[in-house]
Amino acid sequence: MAKQVVAEIKVQVPGGQATPAPPVGTALGPHGVNIGQFVQQFNDKTREFNGTTVPVVITVYNDRSFEFIIKSPPAAVLLKQAAQIAKGASNPRTDKVGTVSRDQVAEIAKTKLEDLNAPDIDAAMRVIEGTARSMGIEVVG
């Protein structure tokens, strides 16, 4: 008999640095999942992200077992790293807080392509450029 899905939980956690504290503990606790086991598995699989925020989708089954899928980091996080800024502009129409090159946008689009709703790399680049504009980051070159 197949396992029955009890819950699907989505959280964003720093890669390789998950702890049983919130948001992980508060998301998994009510479902009876072994939080320590999740934290250990998650940290082992996300060591290469080293602190970058990573979305994860956790599927919890009726026998309290779980499996999780790690997504690529959010475009905004990758753009902030590329532009070397702490946060986006409060008013992106008038304030420009940083710049990224088209090569950097292409690299981010390649990273995000499987998680984006885009048919090819050019469409993915336009999505990333739109995110950059909404953050007050200029795309140059």
Side-chain angles (χ1 to χ4, degrees):
M1 189 167 144
K3 295 181 185 179
Q4 184 179 359
V5 175
V6 174
E8 190 172 274
I9 305 163
K10 297 177 184 178
V11 291
Q12 291 189 0
V13 185
Q17 298 178 358
T19 62
V24 176
T26 55
L28 296 179
H31 301 289
V33 173
N34 184 336
I35 298 169
Q37 184 180 8
F38 169 77
V39 166
Q40 182 180 14
Q41 289 178 18
F42 178 82
N43 287 341
D44 289 343
K45 287 187 178 182
T46 59
R47 291 253 182 260
E48 70 272 5
F49 290 111
N50 196 25
T52 302
T53 302
V54 181
V56 60
V57 179
I58 308 159
T59 305
V60 181
Y61 298 104
N62 59 348
D63 63 353
R64 294 185 178 178
S65 64
F66 64 90
E67 55 186 39
F68 58 94
I69 301 168
I70 300 166
K71 304 282 188 172
S72 58
V77 171
L78 296 173
L79 283 165
K80 286 192 295 187
Q81 287 177 348
Q84 297 177 346
I85 58 173
K87 64 179 193 166
S90 58
N91 187 355
R93 286 186 179 202
T94 57
D95 301 339
K96 299 301 176 201
V97 293
T99 60
V100 291
S101 68
R102 291 190 64 61
D103 293 336
Q104 288 173 311
V105 170
E107 194 64 37
I108 293 169
K110 286 177 192 167
T111 303
K112 294 285 302 168
L113 187 60
E114 67 185 46
D115 290 334
L116 288 175
N117 187 13
D120 59 9
I121 194 71
D122 292 329
M125 284 179 65
R126 287 194 298 273
V127 170
I128 301 301
E129 287 171 1
T131 303
R133 272 194 304 276
S134 71
M135 294 175 66
I137 298 174
E138 271 186 301
V139 179
V140 295

